[in-house]
Amino acid sequence: MSRRPLVAGNWKMFKTRGEALAFADGLKQGLGTSGDVEIAICPPFTSLDVLASAFAGSGVGVFGQNGHEDANGAHTGEISMEMLVDAGASGVLLGHSERRADNNETDQALARKVPAALAAGLTPVLCIGESEFERDSGTTKAVLDRQVLEGLSGVAIGDFAKVVVAYEPIWAIGTGKSATPEIAQEAHRWIRDQLREICQDAADQIRILYGGSVKPENAAELLSQPDIDGALVGGAALEPDSLLAIAAAATS
Ligand code: 13P
């Protein structure tokens, strides 16, 4: 089963609109060198529409970093899935560990957000991953099971193939300490086996991205693992050249 790799750059809370446009110029100049890989940028909300316009026709997607499950309502500071679509987004990150920690985002909330994203036509990227304490105490697989099963509990059986899962061990995020290819592959295989329990053969179509200190230097080895279908990149996605190098590694 071949899955088209996806390399997504999560900008977190970085870049003004002017900086985002300068990045888009640089990325577009290097496109075409990276082979058959889907590239998406997840900027702060303020840059969604300018980036969507800058990337129009280039094949590069623009994803939100969060979305609310309601179409609209009294939720100060929130943005709905429909608003993301209106701003030009084609996907959305959901449940990033920084949001789980900073904004108390729960598996129950994610169980509502994932179907809302699908209903709006967005590709949901459900982010999961264990902490260092959980890994050291031997509960990694239980944590991943809970995050996958609860986070995807609202997805209709026919929609599973559209879902993307990002495995981001918290201890590898922003630390420079990436998971080894063996550790990452073992977790990805485990996640796909759990997905098979809930959606049968569609599990082979679901792309599972690895995230956590992915750089041009370690991308090829990570992305050559059989169950790693792309990367969710933080720091190394802030410069066009390093993101392009990672995208090229995804197809090599
Ligand atoms: P880094 O690539 O900076 O470790 O960040 C990973 C991440 O959190 C992407 O969502």
Side-chain angles (χ1 to χ4, degrees), residues 10 12 96 98 168 172-174 212-214 232-235:
N10 175 11
K12 309 189 179 188
H96 191 281
E98 288 154 15
E168 298 202 300
I173 295 178
S213 297
V214 177
L232 183 55
V233 186

